[in-house]
PDB file of all heavy atoms in Angstrom:
ATOM      1  N   ASP C   1     112.708 149.152  74.159  1.00 96.00           N
ATOM      2  CA  ASP C   1     112.544 150.548  73.768  1.00 96.00           C
ATOM      3  C   ASP C   1     113.638 151.361  74.437  1.00 96.00           C
ATOM      4  O   ASP C   1     114.071 151.024  75.546  1.00 96.00           O
ATOM      5  CB  ASP C   1     111.177 151.086  74.215  1.00 96.00           C
ATOM      6  CG  ASP C   1     110.029 150.388  73.516  1.00 96.00           C
ATOM      7  OD1 ASP C   1     110.149 150.111  72.312  1.00 96.00           O
ATOM      8  OD2 ASP C   1     109.013 150.114  74.180  1.00 96.00           O
ATOM      9  N   TYR C   2     114.082 152.423  73.772  1.00 97.00           N
ATOM     10  CA  TYR C   2     115.123 153.264  74.347  1.00 97.00           C
ATOM     11  C   TYR C   2     114.947 154.708  73.909  1.00 97.00           C
ATOM     12  O   TYR C   2     114.298 154.988  72.898  1.00 97.00           O
ATOM     13  CB  TYR C   2     116.516 152.756  73.965  1.00 97.00           C
ATOM     14  CG  TYR C   2     116.831 152.858  72.478  1.00 97.00           C
ATOM     15  CD1 TYR C   2     117.481 153.973  71.961  1.00 97.00           C
ATOM     16  CD2 TYR C   2     116.473 151.835  71.599  1.00 97.00           C
ATOM     17  CE1 TYR C   2     117.770 154.077  70.612  1.00 97.00           C
ATOM     18  CE2 TYR C   2     116.758 151.932  70.250  1.00 97.00           C
ATOM     19  CZ  TYR C   2     117.410 153.050  69.761  1.00 97.00           C
ATOM     20  OH  TYR C   2     117.686 153.151  68.427  1.00 97.00           O
ATOM     21  N   PHE C   3     115.498 155.607  74.719  1.00 97.00           N
ATOM     22  CA  PHE C   3     115.583 157.012  74.349  1.00 97.00           C
ATOM     23  C   PHE C   3     116.878 157.559  74.924  1.00 97.00           C
ATOM     24  O   PHE C   3     117.506 156.949  75.792  1.00 97.00           O
ATOM     25  CB  PHE C   3     114.357 157.809  74.814  1.00 97.00           C
ATOM     26  CG  PHE C   3     114.204 157.909  76.306  1.00 97.00           C
ATOM     27  CD1 PHE C   3     114.759 158.971  77.003  1.00 97.00           C
ATOM     28  CD2 PHE C   3     113.498 156.949  77.021  1.00 97.00           C
ATOM     29  CE1 PHE C   3     114.622 159.072  78.382  1.00 97.00           C
ATOM     30  CE2 PHE C   3     113.347 157.041  78.390  1.00 97.00           C
ATOM     31  CZ  PHE C   3     113.913 158.101  79.074  1.00 97.00           C
ATOM     32  N   VAL C   4     117.291 158.721  74.400  1.00 98.00           N
ATOM     33  CA  VAL C   4     118.565 159.320  74.809  1.00 98.00           C
ATOM     34  C   VAL C   4     118.324 160.779  75.165  1.00 98.00           C
ATOM     35  O   VAL C   4     117.580 161.489  74.482  1.00 98.00           O
ATOM     36  CB  VAL C   4     119.608 159.220  73.678  1.00 98.00           C
ATOM     37  CG1 VAL C   4     120.925 159.845  74.092  1.00 98.00           C
ATOM     38  CG2 VAL C   4     119.811 157.766  73.265  1.00 98.00           C
ATOM     39  N   GLN C   5     118.975 161.212  76.241  1.00 98.00           N
ATOM     40  CA  GLN C   5     118.899 162.617  76.639  1.00 98.00           C
ATOM     41  C   GLN C   5     120.281 163.093  77.054  1.00 98.00           C
ATOM     42  O   GLN C   5     121.087 162.323  77.558  1.00 98.00           O
ATOM     43  CB  GLN C   5     117.884 162.815  77.764  1.00 98.00           C
ATOM     44  CG  GLN C   5     118.129 161.976  78.986  1.00 98.00           C
ATOM     45  CD  GLN C   5     116.945 162.005  79.941  1.00 98.00           C
ATOM     46  OE1 GLN C   5     115.804 162.186  79.530  1.00 98.00           O
ATOM     47  NE2 GLN C   5     117.223 161.816  81.210  1.00 98.00           N
ATOM     48  N   ALA C   6     120.540 164.366  76.788  1.00 98.00           N
ATOM     49  CA  ALA C   6     121.813 164.982  77.163  1.00 98.00           C
ATOM     50  C   ALA C   6     121.576 166.468  77.364  1.00 98.00           C
ATOM     51  O   ALA C   6     120.714 167.078  76.703  1.00 98.00           O
ATOM     52  CB  ALA C   6     122.870 164.756  76.079  1.00 98.00           C
ATOM     53  N   GLU C   7     122.357 167.031  78.265  1.00 97.00           N
ATOM     54  CA  GLU C   7     122.225 168.459  78.553  1.00 97.00           C
ATOM     55  C   GLU C   7     122.510 169.270  77.291  1.00 97.00           C
ATOM     56  O   GLU C   7     123.482 169.034  76.586  1.00 97.00           O
ATOM     57  CB  GLU C   7     123.204 168.856  79.651  1.00 97.00           C
ATOM     58  CG  GLU C   7     122.989 170.270  80.150  1.00 97.00           C
ATOM     59  CD  GLU C   7     123.846 170.590  81.364  1.00 97.00           C
ATOM     60  OE1 GLU C   7     124.131 169.689  82.159  1.00 97.00           O
ATOM     61  OE2 GLU C   7     124.212 171.761  81.490  1.00 97.00           O
ATOM     62  N   GLY C   8     121.610 170.210  76.998  1.00 97.00           N
ATOM     63  CA  GLY C   8     121.761 171.067  75.833  1.00 97.00           C
ATOM     64  C   GLY C   8     121.171 170.488  74.561  1.00 97.00           C
ATOM     65  O   GLY C   8     121.257 171.099  73.499  1.00 97.00           O
ATOM     66  N   TYR C   9     120.565 169.291  74.644  1.00 98.00           N
ATOM     67  CA  TYR C   9     119.984 168.623  73.477  1.00 98.00           C
ATOM     68  C   TYR C   9     118.539 168.246  73.763  1.00 98.00           C
ATOM     69  O   TYR C   9     118.135 168.078  74.913  1.00 98.00           O
ATOM     70  CB  TYR C   9     120.760 167.343  73.145  1.00 98.00           C
ATOM     71  CG  TYR C   9     122.157 167.589  72.646  1.00 98.00           C
ATOM     72  CD1 TYR C   9     123.221 167.657  73.537  1.00 98.00           C
ATOM     73  CD2 TYR C   9     122.410 167.760  71.295  1.00 98.00           C
ATOM     74  CE1 TYR C   9     124.512 167.877  73.093  1.00 98.00           C
ATOM     75  CE2 TYR C   9     123.698 167.980  70.835  1.00 98.00           C
ATOM     76  CZ  TYR C   9     124.742 168.043  71.740  1.00 98.00           C
ATOM     77  OH  TYR C   9     126.012 168.273  71.295  1.00 98.00           O
ATOM     78  N   LYS C  10     117.771 168.071  72.684  1.00 98.00           N
ATOM     79  CA  LYS C  10     116.402 167.577  72.811  1.00 98.00           C
ATOM     80  C   LYS C  10     116.451 166.081  73.093  1.00 98.00           C
ATOM     81  O   LYS C  10     117.263 165.358  72.526  1.00 98.00           O
ATOM     82  CB  LYS C  10     115.632 167.813  71.514  1.00 98.00           C
ATOM     83  CG  LYS C  10     115.423 169.272  71.178  1.00 98.00           C
ATOM     84  CD  LYS C  10     114.690 169.400  69.853  1.00 98.00           C
ATOM     85  CE  LYS C  10     114.576 170.865  69.460  1.00 98.00           C
ATOM     86  NZ  LYS C  10     113.986 171.008  68.119  1.00 98.00           N
ATOM     87  N   THR C  11     115.565 165.626  73.975  1.00 97.00           N
ATOM     88  CA  THR C  11     115.447 164.191  74.241  1.00 97.00           C
ATOM     89  C   THR C  11     114.868 163.519  73.002  1.00 97.00           C
ATOM     90  O   THR C  11     113.938 164.030  72.384  1.00 97.00           O
ATOM     91  CB  THR C  11     114.534 163.951  75.456  1.00 97.00           C
ATOM     92  OG1 THR C  11     115.119 164.605  76.593  1.00 97.00           O
ATOM     93  CG2 THR C  11     114.373 162.474  75.752  1.00 97.00           C
ATOM     94  N   THR C  12     115.432 162.385  72.638  1.00 97.00           N
ATOM     95  CA  THR C  12     114.948 161.681  71.452  1.00 97.00           C
ATOM     96  C   THR C  12     113.575 161.079  71.718  1.00 97.00           C
ATOM     97  O   THR C  12     113.209 160.789  72.863  1.00 97.00           O
ATOM     98  CB  THR C  12     115.894 160.540  71.034  1.00 97.00           C
ATOM     99  OG1 THR C  12     115.937 159.559  72.065  1.00 97.00           O
ATOM    100  CG2 THR C  12     117.284 161.054  70.739  1.00 97.00           C
ATOM    101  N   ALA C  13     112.839 160.870  70.657  1.00 96.00           N
ATOM    102  CA  ALA C  13     111.593 160.123  70.757  1.00 96.00           C
ATOM    103  C   ALA C  13     111.958 158.669  71.044  1.00 96.00           C
ATOM    104  O   ALA C  13     113.030 158.209  70.659  1.00 96.00           O
ATOM    105  CB  ALA C  13     110.816 160.223  69.443  1.00 96.00           C
ATOM    106  N   PRO C  14     111.092 157.948  71.727  1.00 96.00           N
ATOM    107  CA  PRO C  14     111.388 156.533  71.989  1.00 96.00           C
ATOM    108  C   PRO C  14     111.601 155.758  70.684  1.00 96.00           C
ATOM    109  O   PRO C  14     110.875 155.952  69.710  1.00 96.00           O
ATOM    110  CB  PRO C  14     110.151 156.030  72.729  1.00 96.00           C
ATOM    111  CG  PRO C  14     109.545 157.259  73.328  1.00 96.00           C
ATOM    112  CD  PRO C  14     109.836 158.364  72.350  1.00 96.00           C
ATOM    113  N   GLN C  15     112.607 154.911  70.684  1.00 96.00           N
ATOM    114  CA  GLN C  15     112.931 154.059  69.548  1.00 96.00           C
ATOM    115  C   GLN C  15     112.809 152.608  70.002  1.00 96.00           C
ATOM    116  O   GLN C  15     112.868 152.321  71.187  1.00 96.00           O
ATOM    117  CB  GLN C  15     114.366 154.317  69.074  1.00 96.00           C
ATOM    118  CG  GLN C  15     114.640 155.747  68.669  1.00 96.00           C
ATOM    119  CD  GLN C  15     113.937 156.109  67.380  1.00 96.00           C
ATOM    120  OE1 GLN C  15     113.932 155.345  66.433  1.00 96.00           O
ATOM    121  NE2 GLN C  15     113.325 157.280  67.359  1.00 96.00           N
ATOM    122  N   SER C  16     112.691 151.695  69.059  1.00 96.00           N
ATOM    123  CA  SER C  16     112.600 150.274  69.383  1.00 96.00           C
ATOM    124  C   SER C  16     113.805 149.537  68.839  1.00 96.00           C
ATOM    125  O   SER C  16     114.395 149.934  67.833  1.00 96.00           O
ATOM    126  CB  SER C  16     111.333 149.659  68.780  1.00 96.00           C
ATOM    127  OG  SER C  16     110.205 150.221  69.379  1.00 96.00           O
ATOM    128  N   GLY C  17     114.151 148.463  69.505  1.00 95.00           N
ATOM    129  CA  GLY C  17     115.225 147.602  69.048  1.00 95.00           C
ATOM    130  C   GLY C  17     114.898 146.168  69.394  1.00 95.00           C
ATOM    131  O   GLY C  17     113.922 145.877  70.090  1.00 95.00           O
ATOM    132  N   HIS C  18     115.733 145.267  68.898  1.00 95.00           N
ATOM    133  CA  HIS C  18     115.556 143.843  69.183  1.00 95.00           C
ATOM    134  C   HIS C  18     116.925 143.220  69.398  1.00 95.00           C
ATOM    135  O   HIS C  18     117.849 143.457  68.617  1.00 95.00           O
ATOM    136  CB  HIS C  18     114.843 143.139  68.028  1.00 95.00           C
ATOM    137  CG  HIS C  18     114.640 141.682  68.292  1.00 95.00           C
ATOM    138  ND1 HIS C  18     113.569 141.209  69.000  1.00 95.00           N
ATOM    139  CD2 HIS C  18     115.392 140.600  67.976  1.00 95.00           C
ATOM    140  CE1 HIS C  18     113.665 139.891  69.091  1.00 95.00           C
ATOM    141  NE2 HIS C  18     114.766 139.494  68.484  1.00 95.00           N
ATOM    142  N   GLY C  19     117.037 142.435  70.464  1.00 93.00           N
ATOM    143  CA  GLY C  19     118.286 141.758  70.755  1.00 93.00           C
ATOM    144  C   GLY C  19     118.095 140.265  70.863  1.00 93.00           C
ATOM    145  O   GLY C  19     117.109 139.796  71.417  1.00 93.00           O
ATOM    146  N   ASP C  20     119.024 139.518  70.289  1.00 91.00           N
ATOM    147  CA  ASP C  20     119.038 138.069  70.401  1.00 91.00           C
ATOM    148  C   ASP C  20     120.134 137.665  71.374  1.00 91.00           C
ATOM    149  O   ASP C  20     121.186 138.312  71.420  1.00 91.00           O
ATOM    150  CB  ASP C  20     119.297 137.425  69.034  1.00 91.00           C
ATOM    151  CG  ASP C  20     118.147 137.652  68.065  1.00 91.00           C
ATOM    152  OD1 ASP C  20     116.982 137.536  68.493  1.00 91.00           O
ATOM    153  OD2 ASP C  20     118.417 137.952  66.883  1.00 91.00           O
ATOM    154  N   PRO C  21     119.934 136.601  72.143  1.00 89.00           N
ATOM    155  CA  PRO C  21     120.940 136.184  73.127  1.00 89.00           C
ATOM    156  C   PRO C  21     122.315 135.992  72.482  1.00 89.00           C
ATOM    157  O   PRO C  21     122.443 135.344  71.445  1.00 89.00           O
ATOM    158  CB  PRO C  21     120.404 134.860  73.659  1.00 89.00           C
ATOM    159  CG  PRO C  21     118.950 134.878  73.376  1.00 89.00           C
ATOM    160  CD  PRO C  21     118.790 135.689  72.129  1.00 89.00           C
ATOM    161  N   GLY C  22     123.311 136.589  73.101  1.00 83.00           N
ATOM    162  CA  GLY C  22     124.684 136.414  72.646  1.00 83.00           C
ATOM    163  C   GLY C  22     125.066 137.189  71.401  1.00 83.00           C
ATOM    164  O   GLY C  22     126.196 137.087  70.936  1.00 83.00           O
ATOM    165  N   LYS C  23     124.141 137.943  70.822  1.00 89.00           N
ATOM    166  CA  LYS C  23     124.453 138.725  69.620  1.00 89.00           C
ATOM    167  C   LYS C  23     124.384 140.204  69.957  1.00 89.00           C
ATOM    168  O   LYS C  23     123.336 140.699  70.359  1.00 89.00           O
ATOM    169  CB  LYS C  23     123.466 138.412  68.498  1.00 89.00           C
ATOM    170  CG  LYS C  23     123.553 136.990  67.991  1.00 89.00           C
ATOM    171  CD  LYS C  23     122.590 136.778  66.855  1.00 89.00           C
ATOM    172  CE  LYS C  23     122.656 135.343  66.375  1.00 89.00           C
ATOM    173  NZ  LYS C  23     121.667 135.099  65.323  1.00 89.00           N
ATOM    174  N   PRO C  24     125.501 140.924  69.804  1.00 92.00           N
ATOM    175  CA  PRO C  24     125.464 142.359  70.120  1.00 92.00           C
ATOM    176  C   PRO C  24     124.582 143.133  69.148  1.00 92.00           C
ATOM    177  O   PRO C  24     124.464 142.784  67.974  1.00 92.00           O
ATOM    178  CB  PRO C  24     126.920 142.798  70.009  1.00 92.00           C
ATOM    179  CG  PRO C  24     127.635 141.711  69.316  1.00 92.00           C
ATOM    180  CD  PRO C  24     126.806 140.470  69.393  1.00 92.00           C
ATOM    181  N   VAL C  25     123.958 144.171  69.675  1.00 94.00           N
ATOM    182  CA  VAL C  25     123.119 145.076  68.889  1.00 94.00           C
ATOM    183  C   VAL C  25     123.841 146.411  68.838  1.00 94.00           C
ATOM    184  O   VAL C  25     124.285 146.922  69.874  1.00 94.00           O
ATOM    185  CB  VAL C  25     121.736 145.253  69.550  1.00 94.00           C
ATOM    186  CG1 VAL C  25     120.894 146.252  68.782  1.00 94.00           C
ATOM    187  CG2 VAL C  25     121.026 143.925  69.693  1.00 94.00           C
ATOM    188  N   SER C  26     123.988 146.991  67.662  1.00 96.00           N
ATOM    189  CA  SER C  26     124.638 148.298  67.520  1.00 96.00           C
ATOM    190  C   SER C  26     123.605 149.337  67.122  1.00 96.00           C
ATOM    191  O   SER C  26     122.813 149.112  66.214  1.00 96.00           O
ATOM    192  CB  SER C  26     125.730 148.240  66.439  1.00 96.00           C
ATOM    193  OG  SER C  26     126.772 147.400  66.859  1.00 96.00           O
ATOM    194  N   ILE C  27     123.638 150.472  67.830  1.00 96.00           N
ATOM    195  CA  ILE C  27     122.748 151.571  67.478  1.00 96.00           C
ATOM    196  C   ILE C  27     123.555 152.869  67.432  1.00 96.00           C
ATOM    197  O   ILE C  27     124.571 153.004  68.115  1.00 96.00           O
ATOM    198  CB  ILE C  27     121.554 151.707  68.437  1.00 96.00           C
ATOM    199  CG1 ILE C  27     122.005 151.940  69.875  1.00 96.00           C
ATOM    200  CG2 ILE C  27     120.660 150.496  68.369  1.00 96.00           C
ATOM    201  CD1 ILE C  27     120.849 152.185  70.836  1.00 96.00           C
ATOM    202  N   SER C  28     123.093 153.767  66.610  1.00 97.00           N
ATOM    203  CA  SER C  28     123.697 155.088  66.496  1.00 97.00           C
ATOM    204  C   SER C  28     122.580 156.105  66.673  1.00 97.00           C
ATOM    205  O   SER C  28     121.519 155.979  66.051  1.00 97.00           O
ATOM    206  CB  SER C  28     124.356 155.240  65.121  1.00 97.00           C
ATOM    207  OG  SER C  28     124.977 156.489  65.019  1.00 97.00           O
TER     208      SER C  28
END
């Protein structure tokens, strides 16, 4: 699970992801 926060912005709601060994995961 991940979330993002930055000054001057609303903190994102928690999001989910999945990673497999040795395979990069890209998120935007």
Side-chain angles (χ1 to χ4, degrees):
D1 295 321
Y2 66 93
F3 65 91
V4 180
Q5 56 192 28
E7 189 172 329
Y9 292 90
K10 295 178 184 174
T11 300
T12 64
Q15 302 290 317
S16 295
H18 180 85
D20 293 318
K23 295 182 181 177
V25 177
S26 294
I27 59 176
S28 182

